[in-house]
Amino acid sequence: MVGSAMARDLARDWEVTAADIDPHALARLSQHGVRTKQADLGDPHILRDLVSETDLVVGAVPGFMGFQTLQTVIESKKPCVDISFFPEEASQLDVRARDQGIPVIVDAGVAPGMSNLILGRYAAEMQIRRARCYVGGLPRERRWPFAYKAPFSPIDVIEEYTRPARLKVNGKIVTRPALTEPEFLDFPGIGTLEAFNTDGLRSLLHTLEIPNLAEKTLRYPGHREQMQMLRSAGFFASNPIEVKGVSVAPLDVTATLLLKNWELTPGEAEFTVMRILLEGEAEGRPRKIQVDLEDEYDVDSGTSSMARTTGYACTAMANLLLQDRFSTPGVHPPETIGANPVCYESVMTYLQERGIEYRVQVNDGGQDE
Amino acid sequence: MVGSAMARDLARDWEVTAADIDPHALARLSQHGVRTKQADLGDPHILRDLVSETDLVVGAVPGFMGFQTLQTVIESKKPCVDISFFPEEASQLDVRARDQGIPVIVDAGVAPGMSNLILGRYAAEMQIRRARCYVGGLPRERRWPFAYKAPFSPIDVIEEYTRPARLKVNGKIVTRPALTEPEFLDFPGIGTLEAFNTDGLRSLLHTLEIPNLAEKTLRYPGHREQMQMLRSAGFFASNPIEVKGVSVAPLDVTATLLLKNWELTPGEAEFTVMRILLEGEAEGRPRKIQVDLEDEYDVDSGTSSMARTTGYACTAMANLLLQDRFSTPGVHPPETIGANPVCYESVMTYLQERGIEYRVQVNDGGQDE
């Protein structure tokens, strides 16, 4: 879904080849001026051949094969922007990318992605004492029971609901169970959403000097408690249990059932919402900043908000490399890009041109807006 | 649990033999003056031998073997009181019991059981236009997430949450999905409970002339919605699904997980609550009646409220037969017994002597109490 939106977007200005193991995914692309190649990207030899004639690689493979894919691209000496969100530390590939003299941007989505870019910008301008990032992708219609639809596998969502969340408190990395510390936040046109701890900070835990830092996931109220109930009762357990002589992991049963419940129907309206709250000091005075994103499903093109916000963030950063606005060799998280005002503005302008607006409110003097 | 409470109660005045396939269940009984016999009651030959020397049989076997067991007892010409709550229509055995000249009382628990007895009494005294029976067994401590403990298998509880509820509206039997039409009711010392449709009326659907009649199950608020969520998402489905190459029924996985969550800890306090609301006319004037039961776990004897209220209702009715206060041949639901004032008072007195009180409030003239 995201890959197709990116390929079509890049094909406006560049010659694009899309590769996928699934011919059906490719078939839809060829009518949009994108060259296609069916290929097993899990095979490093095939991948190396494939990227050999390109100027830039955009990586959007399933997380489990992301690290190896990026490694192969770096070995092939190709600049790359990646949204595979793989679990390994991307910084492990930094030295090799520098040796190869190529720039790589990882985690180039919304959160991680734009949240890093924005924090990177303000961390370069002010001293941030406390930052919160709230983010969620939700269906417009709130249907009982879950009031949730996932454009990706329930297994990945459940993983977010089970993996302990790392955050920073007073300069130290601490761990909280996922789904904890709920807060209600109001969003114009949407209403009240519930935010809770999930493990989404990734590189931000280490790169920026922000002593208090957390990312929380947004859902309609009620969903969090349902998930906590399922988790508490054992429905998310990955260890198999014996059920009438069969060994099965409750997690796999739950994911199978939730797949049907969480599937977006074709054309179903969904939106992406992100709010970043920063507190700190600039030029000796208290400063608060609030950045809001609210993006809707695009009815005309049929492009989901998830694909728009994630995909265009990635293509915006790809354009930075393609236009040589950023060329520092190494593997960079987006906070490094955001610290560069030209790059920051370039990404924001690129997104605005596609109707994606990050609204910024700055409040100096410490009063609430 | 219930069987043992009954055997001990009857052994005060009578010679009792307890039979069970499980020697451990029997071992606990022998120290209470109960003779014990390990036996497979599923085998009609064994059962026939076993009952041949008794004056009365109390049936308390798992529901699935209840009908066959009662049939064998009737063939053996033994009076019987039964709380196996089997799914088949007990009235099918009525003719045979009459032929044999023996009285049989079925569904002799709380609800079904005492609710039938009480409705039977008032239906004989007044014209009931509308009757509601609210009943539940709950743990004293309300623990998140389910605020529920089951003294029996989760499969049986889930069956109550899935089987459509039959009730009577304007004289007609209608069907409503289980868990629907929630109501909040307040109980002194307990607080607010939530009632919802379950299929519990059994013989009452056919025996009494009450045009509007419903039974609802009581739980702590929140439980109903959790169960409706699980049901709606497919967790109660009994058809197997394919999960990573294994075929498994979600219901079996759910029941396995809930078993741990719903298990009463040893000595855990629980209570039984029932409220019957009747509206109608007596002697040409409007009459409302409210009957309340609230029974607690007995700390001294370690007897659960579930065992007390169900078991002693059954032994009270057993004593009716043993003392020849009721001897009409046939298979009778408790509403027939309740219509007989001597039997009704005898049962109530028997229960009062054991600390189980059904409090009755009568309101004549139609004003609310």
Side-chain angles (χ1 to χ4, degrees), chain A residues 124-151:
Chain A
E125 280 183 17
M126 64 184 274
Q127 223 173 356
I128 304 175
R129 205 178 52 247
R130 187 175 187 276
R132 290 280 174 277
C133 173
Y134 304 93
V135 64
L138 289 165
R140 174 56 62 187
E141 279 188 11
R142 186 180 161 173
R143 293 221 182 185
W144 194 88
F146 299 111
Y148 181 66
K149 296 292 180 81

Side-chain angles (χ1 to χ4, degrees), chain B residues 65-78:
Chain B
M65 57 191 276
F67 187 82
Q68 193 203 303
T69 303
L70 183 56
Q71 200 162 22
T72 306
V73 171
I74 291 170
E75 291 308 328
S76 305
K77 231 174 167 162
K78 297 294 171 185

Side-chain angles (χ1 to χ4, degrees), chain A residues 217-269:
Chain A
T217 291
L218 292 166
R219 296 286 184 262
Y220 288 113
H223 181 84
R224 186 193 67 81
E225 194 173 334
Q226 293 172 331
M227 295 302 110
Q228 207 164 5
M229 183 209 94
L230 288 175
R231 190 180 69 185
S232 157
F235 286 95
F236 292 168
S238 52
N239 288 335
I241 58 170
E242 288 299 311
V243 178
K244 293 208 169 170
V246 168
S247 180
V248 70
L251 172 63
D252 293 329
V253 176
T254 301
T256 304
L257 293 174
L258 292 184
L259 186 65
K260 279 171 239 152
N261 282 274
W262 288 1
E263 217 162 28
L264 282 157
T265 54
E268 180 170 354

Side-chain angles (χ1 to χ4, degrees), chain A residues 82-337:
Chain A
D82 189 85
I83 53 161
S84 302
F85 308 120
F86 46 82
E88 298 88 347
E89 286 280 350
S91 58
Q92 291 176 57
L93 300 173
D94 183 46
V95 172
R96 192 65 188 132
R98 277 194 271 162
D99 287 350
Q100 298 278 59
I102 50 142
V104 172
I105 307 175
V106 292
D107 286 355
V110 175
M114 293 303 293
S115 55
N116 304 55
L117 189 97
I118 291 163
L119 287 173
R121 176 200 158 152
Y122 290 104
E125 280 183 17
M126 64 184 274
Q127 223 173 356
I128 304 175
R129 205 178 52 247
R130 187 175 187 276
R132 290 280 174 277
C133 173
Y134 304 93
V135 64
L138 289 165
R140 174 56 62 187
E141 279 188 11
R142 186 180 161 173
R143 293 221 182 185
W144 194 88
F146 299 111
Y148 181 66
K149 296 292 180 81
F152 25 77
S153 156
I155 285 274
D156 295 336
V157 181
I158 295 171
E159 158 76 7
E160 281 182 39
Y161 296 162
T162 46
R163 193 174 67 240
R166 289 163 299 165
L167 41 127
K168 277 172 76 182
V169 177
N170 297 327
K172 293 206 173 66
I173 295 175
V174 300
T175 296
R176 301 261 189 278
L179 301 175
T180 55
E181 300 184 308
E183 293 174 67
F184 290 118
L185 282 87
D186 294 335
F187 295 87
I190 294 170
T192 302
L193 298 180
E194 191 173 19
F196 48 84
N197 285 324
T198 46
D199 187 51
L201 288 173
R202 296 169 64 93
S203 61
L204 288 170
L205 288 167
H206 310 291
T207 49
L208 301 180
E209 297 275 316
I210 303 174
N212 295 287
L213 183 59
E215 185 181 297
K216 290 185 168 184
T217 291
L218 292 166
R219 296 286 184 262
Y220 288 113
H223 181 84
R224 186 193 67 81
E225 194 173 334
Q226 293 172 331
M227 295 302 110
Q228 207 164 5
M229 183 209 94
L230 288 175
R231 190 180 69 185
S232 157
F235 286 95
F236 292 168
S238 52
N239 288 335
I241 58 170
E242 288 299 311
V243 178
K244 293 208 169 170
V246 168
S247 180
V248 70
L251 172 63
D252 293 329
V253 176
T254 301
T256 304
L257 293 174
L258 292 184
L259 186 65
K260 279 171 239 152
N261 282 274
W262 288 1
E263 217 162 28
L264 282 157
T265 54
E268 180 170 354
E270 41 75 65
F271 63 89
T272 306
V273 62
M274 179 159 75
R275 176 171 294 169
I276 297 173
L277 299 176
L278 303 178
E279 284 172 35
E281 292 197 347
E283 295 146 28
R285 291 173 62 200
R287 175 174 286 178
K288 285 186 178 182
I289 291 174
Q290 174 170 339
V291 182
D292 277 290
L293 164 71
E294 235 192 272
D295 184 73
E296 287 267 3
Y297 169 75
D298 184 25
V299 183
D300 294 338
S301 71
T303 309
S304 74
S305 171
M306 220 283 283
R308 286 166 46 78
T309 53
T310 305
Y312 300 160
C314 182
T315 54
M317 296 191 219
N319 270 278
L320 291 180
L321 303 196
L322 287 164
Q323 297 172 337
D324 270 334
R325 294 193 184 183
F326 186 86
S327 55
T328 315
V331 172
H332 308 282
E335 51 269 39
T336 307
I337 316 302

